[in-house]
Amino acid sequence: MTLPLDQIFVLSKHWLLSFVPPIAQPLASAILSVVPVLIAFPLLFAITTLLERKGLGRIQNRYGPNRTGPWGLLQPIADGVKSLTKEDIVPLTADHAVHFLAPIFLVAAAFLGYAVLPIGRNMVISNLNAGVLYFFAVGSMVELSVFMAGWSSRSKYSLLGAMRAIAQMISYEVPLVLASVVVIMQAGSLSTVSIVEKQAGYTGIWPHWFVFTPWGIVGFALFMIAATAESNRSPFDLPEGESEIIAGYYIEYSGFKFALFFLGEYLGMFATSGMAITLFLGGWSAPFSFLTWIPSYVWFFAKLLALIFGFIWIRGTLPRLRMDQLMNLAWEFVLPTALLNMLVAGVWHFMPGGPIRWLVCIAIVAIPCTFLTRRLKRKKKFEVRTYSFAE
Amino acid sequence: MIGSGILKGLAETARNFFGSYVSKDRLTTIQYPEERVAQIEATRDFPFLVYDGPDWHDGMRCVACQICEKECPPKCIFIEKSKDKKPDAVGKPQAYPAVFNIDISVCMSCQICVEVCPFDAIKMDVKYDLSTDDRFGGLLLDKKQLSKSNQYYNAIHPTEAAAVDAHFAEERAKAEAKAKAEAKARAAAPVTPTPILAQPVGGEAK
């Protein structure tokens, strides 16, 4: 079933391509696919900054921005003008070339992930047969630009911030990938497009999303925890840590470069959210069979906004974790649970359907989890430290 | 159970989020230029000069005694005494300030000038949004800018102003009674040089 409204972007692209000579068609096709993504997601970034400030304001019983335009709707424009007109300060001893390249590199790395995200039916820049693998490979490029920023600034605060950021990102990259492995196991494919197609069917009115299975819901929860940590958002925003290390690895950046870091961070958040939608929430497919008449890209962005709202809600609720808590959570809880979840996915695959399968699968993950959480919660004894070399 | 605290927190923030749209009481923000917080009676920021009657110059209570100028800790008051005299609040001829400037960029709102003024001429204002784009001229207030009517004083500090008014009424009644007694005495013994005798008594009565 392909409605014309659903395929409007695909059809208009083909119509535009018909004016291009055949020799230039591959290039023109690539440009026509990439440019809308380059426009849509920074726009979403602008909207999200406003939504975030408004939402956090309301969570704290404030109004949020309401001075620029009606209901403060022009706030992103004001912010953009502000960051463009600010002085761009580069530290005297900084490595100028690397200092300049780091924010650009970050944004570029963040954008590369969008190449395999199916935004709508037949709407994906490139249907790689190793799409999920590509996504995580490109996602880990962000760490490189973080270290470029921290190192080239020639400031101990930047460097410490970068170290913390990279320690965190690498720790959470492992559970992020392991949480998504279950989907690959079930779908039998690394291609994002075929993963979404596997979830596009319906039983009655209910969709076949992977999140509605025991391994799916656990995987989704773990994926979102890891994605929050991966995109340096509260409560895992230690690398930024406004109150203690001011802005971490980008402390020496100002003006538009600072804004680029912000853009890169949000783009990374959108990309991982988009991947969560693709893997667990059925990509562009409608939540009920009777809602399939709404265009697929609308569903994708609706789900994305819902996840963004979740991120904002979490940010407005939870305090920042301590470094040891962050690492304990990653290695003592998220990683073992992700491994268990892979076992659950295997059991789910080989057991016959029915309520017993549900019970067994839930038991496999729930019983060890209670022990793991008890371990996390145990009272740690803090003692006065003696520094043998500081005497 | 682990995570129950997180759920409790999420419920609380959700209640705040939706509650702030439903009940205005939750929002503690005052939208400043449009809305203002009601000021308490003891509010004070910068001094002003009180005048009685309709004309700010004729009714000025200040007699240019310069006590406030001398007492002012940051030295933000500048006074020049006049050569001629005009009747003060009680009706006695007194000097008045030819120049009376207060630099409110220097003033620290300590209220010492108000405490030391024997004539209840200088009082504290409540106007706070005095920002200007001229930081030298715009914040140096002269005699005319500083003068505000007794009605205004009554409006901003009613209790204090009522006490001051009562005090002035008493003084005026006393002065009137004395003037009457003098007139009677003058009528009884027209030869006595009353003005010379009356002067020190009047000085004592403030």
Side-chain angles (χ1 to χ4, degrees), chain A residues 54-63 66-67 309 313-314 316-318 333 373-374 376-377, chain B residues 1-2 6 9-11 13-14 16-17 19-21 24 26-29 31-35:
Chain A
K54 282 284 213 189
L56 285 178
R58 288 291 172 170
I59 281 171
Q60 294 156 9
N61 286 328
R62 296 182 285 110
Y63 285 101
N66 64 352
R67 293 281 148 176
F309 181 78
W313 192 5
I314 291 283
T317 305
L318 300 181
F333 177 72
T373 54
R374 200 163 290 170
L376 268 187
K377 269 171 98 174
Chain B
M1 196 188 94
I2 205 161
I6 294 175
L10 286 174
T13 44
N16 279 350
F17 183 85
S20 68
Y21 284 99
K24 268 258 176 201
R26 277 178 173 274
L27 295 161
T28 49
T29 315
Q31 298 286 305
Y32 162 61
E34 296 95 34
E35 296 172 21

Side-chain angles (χ1 to χ4, degrees), chain A residues 62-199:
Chain A
R62 296 182 285 110
Y63 285 101
N66 64 352
R67 293 281 148 176
T68 42
W71 306 293
L73 282 178
L74 301 178
Q75 189 64 40
I77 298 170
D79 286 343
V81 170
K82 177 199 160 207
S83 61
L84 270 174
T85 50
K86 262 188 160 180
E87 188 187 355
D88 177 29
I89 300 162
V90 181
L92 197 65
T93 50
D95 188 332
H96 285 65
V98 183
H99 190 268
F100 175 75
L101 280 175
I104 297 168
F105 206 77
L106 180 76
V107 173
F111 265 124
L112 281 176
Y114 290 95
V116 291
L117 278 188
I119 293 160
R121 188 180 278 117
N122 303 328
M123 283 165 71
V124 61
I125 294 176
S126 119
N127 180 12
L128 292 180
N129 56 8
V132 180
L133 201 62
Y134 164 84
F135 182 85
F136 290 119
V138 168
S140 58
M141 269 170 68
V142 172
E143 274 121 80
L144 187 58
S145 68
V146 165
F147 198 68
M148 279 165 75
W151 178 257
S152 66
S153 298
R154 259 231 182 189
S155 150
K156 47 188 168 295
Y157 301 109
S158 297
L159 192 60
L160 281 173
M163 300 291 250
R164 286 170 74 159
I166 289 165
Q168 173 181 333
M169 284 170 155
I170 289 177
S171 300
Y172 277 91
E173 200 124 287
V174 181
L176 188 76
V177 177
L178 283 178
S180 52
V181 162
V182 285
V183 174
I184 299 161
M185 284 164 70
Q186 287 294 316
S189 168
L190 278 166
S191 155
T192 48
V193 174
S194 62
I195 286 171
V196 172
E197 272 161 8
K198 288 255 161 53
Q199 302 176 68

